[in-house]
Amino acid sequence: MKQALTLYGVILGLALMGMSLIGTTQMVLIGYGAICVMALVISGTFFWLWQVRATPLALGMSFSWAGLGSTLGWWWASQVRLSSVWGVEAAVLFAFLSLLMTGAVLHFAVIQGSFGYHGFSFLVPVLGALLLSLGVLWVI
């Protein structure tokens, strides 16, 4: 639990620091884009676990993460196109979004063992999701 709470604090701190550096709207869009991509990757991993019959719960987890990723992705895409203005409520939003990201990072940390990886390789999809989200904002 200490590791998870520390990770949550780091993610929330980075989000709030990002708000002050690049602006609230851009940071919200990067955060939502990144969690959308991470949720879909986690969904795919759980689907694979279900296919290899690792656990019967994996199919439910796959659908749950796919639903989360798709719902957030739809919202994220609509916000990228509209670029709405955010106020102080974005700081509260990051308290919840940081919980989602902490869960995603912890999932990747556990999942890496299923593929035989060790160390910090679980951060590859996390960084990839953040870079993809940032890239979409740069293109648009």
Side-chain angles (χ1 to χ4, degrees), residues 54-124:
T55 173
L57 297 175
L59 188 59
M61 292 298 291
S62 177
F63 273 87
S64 295
W65 279 100
L68 174 72
S70 299
T71 302
L72 290 178
W74 173 85
W75 182 89
W76 173 64
S78 68
Q79 294 303 308
V80 166
R81 299 185 79 206
L82 298 177
S83 293
S84 65
V85 177
W86 290 85
V88 175
E89 71 275 6
V92 175
L93 174 65
F94 272 113
F96 302 129
L97 191 56
S98 295
L99 281 174
L100 279 171
M101 288 189 177
T102 299
V105 171
L106 291 172
H107 268 84
F108 286 123
V110 171
I111 288 169
Q112 82 172 346
S114 299
F115 292 105
Y117 298 120
H118 304 287
F120 291 102
S121 61
F122 69 93
L123 291 176
V124 170

Side-chain angles (χ1 to χ4, degrees), residues 6 26 34-35 45 48-49 79-81 103 110-111 113 125 133 140:
T6 300
Q26 296 301 311
I35 196 61
T45 305
W48 170 78
L49 288 170
Q79 294 303 308
V80 166
R81 299 185 79 206
V110 171
I111 288 169
S133 180
I140 295 188

Side-chain angles (χ1 to χ4, degrees), residues 22-43:
I22 64 172
T24 303
T25 300
Q26 296 301 311
M27 198 60 210
V28 167
L29 292 175
I30 290 168
Y32 266 96
I35 196 61
C36 168
V37 174
M38 287 188 273
L40 294 174
V41 172
I42 290 170
S43 172

